[in-house]
Amino acid sequence: MGNSVVTINNLVKRFPVGGDFFTALKNVNLSLEKGEFTGLVGPSGSGKTTLLNVIGGLDSPSEGSVTVLKKSLGETSHNERAELRRKNMGFIFQSYNLLPVYTVFENVELPLILNKVDPQERYNKVAQAIEWVGLSDKINSRPAMLSGGECQRTAIARAIVHEPTLVLADEPTANLDAENSHHIMKIMVKLNKELSTSFIFATHDEKIMDYLRRIIHLDDGQIINDEQIDRPKSGS
Amino acid sequence: MIKFLTKGIIRDRSRSLFPVLVVTLAVAMIIFFQGFFTGIMNSMFLDSAVVSTGHVKVMTRGYKEESQLLPNDLALLGTDQLVNELGQDYPDLFWSPRITFGGLLDVPDENGETQAQGPVLALGIDFLSPKSRQIEIWKLERRLIDGRLPENANEALLSTRLAGQLGLSSGETVTLIGSTMYNAFTTFNFTVVGTFKLNLGPVDRQMMLVDITGARLALDMENASSEILGYTNSLYYDDTAAVALRGRYNKINSDSTDIFSPIMMALRDVNQMGTMVDYMSAASGLIVGVFLVISMIVLWNMGLMNGLRRYGEIGMRLAMGESKGQVYRSMIMESVIIGFIGTIIGTAMGLGLTYYMQEVGLDYSDAMESLGSTEIIMSNVFYAQVTPELYYIGFMPGVLATVLGTMLAGRAIYKREMAQLFKELET
């Protein structure tokens, strides 16, 4: 529990469908430690994105408890959860979710503005994050001028610029070709090692699995297998 | 964060330029329509007021009863004192005596024999006294077609139609043949110094304008007048105020048993003008009201759509740790700024257009020809009018409706799970 980043006990998540409920997660129990590089793996509809959203506080549990960075999400207010995300979490999405009217620099800058980091420090951190993902030459480009891989690298820079403890990535390589997928994953492995940032992926992309050090298999809203990998195939 | 958001608004034309344009156009149109209808209404009332009714007017009870016959034997006496008293008691209006009379105009040839003759409707108006605003409200300088304005008691202006019928031009002399206020036969020579065209349909067909001093000399009406006409200093007809004034005045001054006692009438009391006032007010209110509601729905919907379009961005900002309140407030602030900018530009545009139409007007003389037999005095040119409410009326649709739409769309921030906002971005 000392290094625990996420602790989930008996989590159930139901969604109203018509007049009934659909149960997306059923009695999920899980613990993730600091610095883990973990994948939630399973077919479409298995509940991996829902689990990621619940961990990020974007969805609330129907039953059970979810503790993230020692804060029980069920007992925190919306503003406390917002602060938790602002300071300690980063998000990477399948469709990048970059703001189209802002440049790469400005998109990456947003989490630091929300954290009220002073302008000089902000500039340094944004420049550093953009350098990490290898986009220093695209700093003033807008998302429409970038390739899919470059957009996702911008999203990664945005997710890690404030050096969060936990990064949640939902299908980060789904829209990318193989070369870009490997490039992205290598960047995240590097950040995981250098910053000790924990990464949790929701994915069914085989390419990602080669990099993971823990794979949690989900099916029909339940964990069916929790697999530790000492030597990932990619060598990470 | 404000700087960051402002940058985004400026760069994203669909969030700035387009909404500002929509608000601007809607507000400008509302203001113009309001100003135009107000102008038409007031223009119609003012034309009637100038030519015959005043905003209010005072006459004897006897004259009121027989007014169609122009009974100057029932005229007001001691007019100068009456005008002074009215000016003191009701300083929001200016008062002007008027003599309306009919007769025959005789045009002599070089031998003094009748060359042409025709009926005339003459108005003796106070043109020459120093504080008179009659030349201004008759717009005589603009309406003068030929010659100059009268400078002496025996000088007259003829309508172009009357001058044409009698074959008269400036500088010639005509003889008025009529009767005095004591019903005695009278003749009086006037020198025609100019011709005018009122552009008020058929009203000036047989019209002659003279200074009231000349009319008094011709009709033996020393210090008397047919009526005393009152006009608001702003020249804006306020029906409610006019009716209230008429009620107060008559209660104090009018004696129903004395045909020579004065009685006041408001503009609405004359020539079915009351129906016209009510109809025009209702029609104008309805048209502007309907347009206002439509504009509000359009702007409300625009605010709503702008908000809906941004659910993905909202979800992303919430995921990054902005609080719901912050996001909601920033959306509303954005719509307030856009609403204000659009309303200010729209108000300026609307006022500019209204002012232009106030000065230039819309000429519909051709259409008026088909109304040649109407008895209602109507201008051939529609003028808009810039009124004080035009400066703020646009803020209701421009700011309020836009912000309400955004507020409604923004409720989703509180109503939906954040994850749902992402899903809506991706679909």
Side-chain angles (χ1 to χ4, degrees):
Chain A
M1 188 72 186
N3 265 337
S4 179
V5 175
V6 178
T7 308
I8 296 172
N9 291 313
N10 303 319
L11 171 64
V12 176
K13 176 65 187 176
R14 294 187 201 93
F15 292 106
V17 179
D20 208 350
F21 284 95
F22 166 71
T23 306
L25 294 172
K26 300 167 186 168
N27 286 317
V28 172
N29 291 286
L30 184 63
S31 179
L32 297 164
E33 302 297 311
K34 184 172 166 57
E36 282 201 26
F37 205 73
T38 302
L40 306 173
V41 177
S44 288
S46 59
K48 51 191 188 300
T49 297
T50 304
L51 182 55
L52 209 62
N53 286 339
V54 171
I55 293 170
L58 302 178
D59 262 340
S60 48
S62 305
E63 285 177 29
S65 69
V66 179
T67 303
V68 179
L69 300 167
K70 300 186 170 55
K71 296 210 176 213
S72 171
L73 298 186
E75 293 164 15
T76 51
S77 66
H78 163 75
N79 283 347
E80 286 171 324
R81 287 199 297 278
E83 188 184 355
L84 185 69
R85 283 195 299 274
R86 190 165 65 236
K87 291 186 173 165
N88 302 105
M89 289 191 202
F91 288 85
I92 300 168
F93 306 96
Q94 177 182 338
S95 51
Y96 325 130
N97 285 0
L98 299 176
L99 298 175
V101 294
Y102 295 101
T103 62
V104 166
F105 184 93
E106 288 160 347
N107 267 286
V108 176
E109 190 184 22
L110 181 56
L112 300 178
I113 293 172
L114 294 175
N115 280 308
K116 297 186 168 57
V117 176
D118 78 76
Q120 186 55 49
E121 189 184 348
R122 214 157 68 204
Y123 179 85
N124 293 336
K125 286 191 167 190
V126 173
Q128 174 71 62
I130 291 173
E131 196 183 320
W132 279 335
V133 297
L135 282 178
S136 297
D137 57 332
K138 303 279 185 182
I139 204 159
N140 291 318
S141 302
R142 293 202 193 167
M145 300 153 71
L146 303 176
S147 67
E150 288 168 336
C151 281
Q152 197 58 296
R153 278 147 68 191
T154 306
I156 293 169
R158 184 180 63 185
I160 51 92
V161 67
H162 54 305
E163 299 181 20
T165 313
L166 177 62
V167 171
L168 305 172
D170 188 7
E171 305 277 10
T173 56
N175 289 340
L176 303 178
D177 58 28
E179 188 185 342
N180 268 309
S181 296
H182 286 297
H183 190 183
I184 295 289
M185 288 312 297
K186 280 174 185 164
I187 290 169
M188 288 196 271
V189 167
K190 185 176 147 206
L191 292 168
N192 171 249
K193 286 183 175 169
E194 288 183 7
L195 304 174
S196 297
T197 303
S198 305
F199 280 79
I200 306 175
F201 299 89
T203 184
H204 57 262
D205 186 347
E206 292 293 332
K207 297 187 290 292
I208 283 192
M209 289 177 216
D210 293 347
Y211 293 86
L212 299 174
R213 293 200 298 273
R214 183 180 175 187
I215 300 177
I216 298 166
H217 293 270
L218 286 165
D219 192 20
D220 195 24
Q222 296 179 89
I223 295 176
I224 54 169
N225 190 18
D226 190 345
E227 182 184 2
Q228 293 284 347
I229 299 163
D230 294 333
R231 289 174 182 272
K233 289 178 194 167
S234 68
S236 63
Chain B
M1 192 66 195
I2 292 169
K3 194 176 157 192
F4 186 83
L5 289 173
T6 308
K7 214 185 282 182
I9 295 172
I10 292 167
R11 286 182 195 166
D12 186 353
R13 290 184 175 191
S14 64
R15 272 165 67 193
S16 52
L17 186 63
F18 176 67
V20 165
L21 268 178
V22 173
V23 175
T24 298
L25 287 175
V27 168
M29 285 172 75
I30 285 168
I31 286 173
F32 177 68
F33 280 142
Q34 173 75 13
F36 194 59
F37 283 116
T38 305
I40 290 172
M41 263 174 42
N42 198 50
S43 174
M44 288 178 69
F45 299 153
L46 185 61
D47 287 329
S48 285
V50 166
V51 175
S52 70
T53 65
H55 288 146
V56 289
K57 65 179 177 180
V58 177
M59 67 202 81
T60 64
R61 282 184 163 271
Y63 190 95
K64 175 178 176 278
E65 294 303 320
E66 308 283 341
S67 60
Q68 294 294 323
L69 304 173
L70 307 177
N72 281 323
D73 51 336
L74 296 168
L76 287 163
L77 302 177
T79 301
D80 292 347
Q81 190 186 344
L82 270 173
V83 168
N84 281 338
E85 285 171 4
L86 285 164
Q88 283 168 10
D89 293 344
Y90 309 107
D92 292 340
L93 290 90
F94 61 93
W95 301 88
S96 181
R98 163 89 53 98
I99 296 174
T100 309
F101 57 104
L104 207 57
L105 273 193
D106 185 274
V107 185
D109 62 14
E110 59 242 12
N111 302 317
E113 300 295 329
T114 297
Q115 177 181 287
Q117 217 173 46
V120 65
L121 174 71
L123 300 179
I125 297 166
D126 178 19
F127 287 132
L128 300 181
S129 68
K131 289 183 181 175
S132 172
R133 289 180 65 184
Q134 292 300 311
I135 288 173
E136 171 205 335
I137 66 172
W138 277 83
K139 299 174 191 148
L140 274 184
E141 281 166 348
R142 192 197 291 179
R143 287 166 164 173
L144 201 62
I145 303 298
D146 172 49
R148 60 169 173 80
L149 297 174
E151 292 170 358
N152 296 301
N154 67 339
E155 292 182 343
L157 293 175
L158 295 189
S159 73
T160 49
R161 294 190 204 189
L162 181 59
Q165 281 166 21
L166 299 176
L168 279 168
S169 54
S170 298
E172 295 190 66
T173 300
V174 290
T175 304
L176 170 78
I177 304 169
S179 58
T180 68
M181 73 177 286
Y182 305 106
N183 289 321
F185 178 77
T186 183
T187 58
F188 193 85
N189 286 342
F190 287 102
T191 304
V192 178
V193 293
T195 58
F196 64 90
K197 190 173 181 184
L198 294 183
N199 282 323
L200 295 174
V203 74
D204 59 1
R205 193 172 289 162
Q206 294 169 335
M207 189 177 276
M208 177 170 79
L209 301 178
V210 299
D211 186 68
I212 193 166
T213 52
R216 280 172 172 163
L217 287 171
L219 306 179
D220 201 10
M221 291 180 69
E222 180 63 32
N223 199 17
S225 65
S226 312
E227 299 159 323
I228 298 170
L229 277 63
Y231 303 90
T232 60
N233 291 325
S234 63
L235 297 179
Y236 185 77
Y237 178 64
D238 181 340
D239 188 51
T240 311
V243 168
L245 173 62
R246 172 247 277 159
R248 285 201 306 277
Y249 180 88
N250 290 342
K251 193 173 178 184
I252 298 167
N253 299 290
S254 197
D255 176 0
S256 60
T257 62
D258 178 4
I259 61 167
F260 286 99
S261 95
I263 185 167
M264 184 180 281
M265 294 171 74
L267 179 142
R268 68 154 44 244
D269 302 327
V270 186
N271 294 345
Q272 300 175 336
M273 285 301 289
T275 311
M276 178 72 91
V277 170
D278 294 339
Y279 176 76
M280 289 296 286
S281 299
S284 154
L286 187 71
I287 292 167
V288 173
V290 165
F291 191 75
L292 196 69
V293 169
I294 292 170
S295 304
M296 285 187 74
I297 291 170
V298 168
L299 295 177
W300 176 81
N301 194 45
M302 185 195 71
L304 188 68
M305 294 308 292
N306 263 350
L308 294 175
R309 207 171 53 80
R310 294 173 61 194
Y311 277 2
E313 178 203 328
I314 292 165
M316 197 275 291
R317 284 167 61 184
L318 292 172
M320 288 198 169
E322 262 194 276
S323 72
K324 290 180 175 181
Q326 275 177 317
V327 174
Y328 193 54
R329 281 192 297 275
S330 77
M331 281 177 72
I332 290 170
M333 183 54 69
E334 207 174 285
S335 67
V336 167
I337 291 168
I338 282 165
F340 261 102
I341 292 171
T343 303
I344 288 166
I345 299 172
T347 301
M349 275 176 64
L351 283 171
L353 198 57
T354 309
Y355 181 76
Y356 175 78
M357 288 299 286
Q358 178 178 281
E359 296 303 306
V360 175
L362 177 68
D363 192 339
Y364 69 114
S365 313
D366 293 344
M368 277 305 288
E369 287 300 316
S370 62
L371 299 173
S373 62
T374 183
E375 290 182 6
I376 296 168
I377 297 166
M378 279 179 73
S379 172
N380 288 0
V381 184
F382 282 146
Y383 292 97
Q385 179 153 15
V386 177
T387 53
E389 76 261 21
L390 298 189
Y391 287 86
Y392 58 79
I393 192 174
F395 282 86
M396 194 159 66
V399 179
L400 202 64
T402 310
V403 172
L404 279 176
T406 306
M407 285 172 80
L408 194 69
R411 283 171 66 230
I413 295 171
Y414 293 97
K415 292 267 181 188
R416 301 180 191 209
E417 292 277 9
M418 278 177 266
Q420 183 64 24
L421 295 167
F422 285 112
K423 284 174 193 157
E424 287 179 35
L425 173 76
E426 286 160 7
T427 51

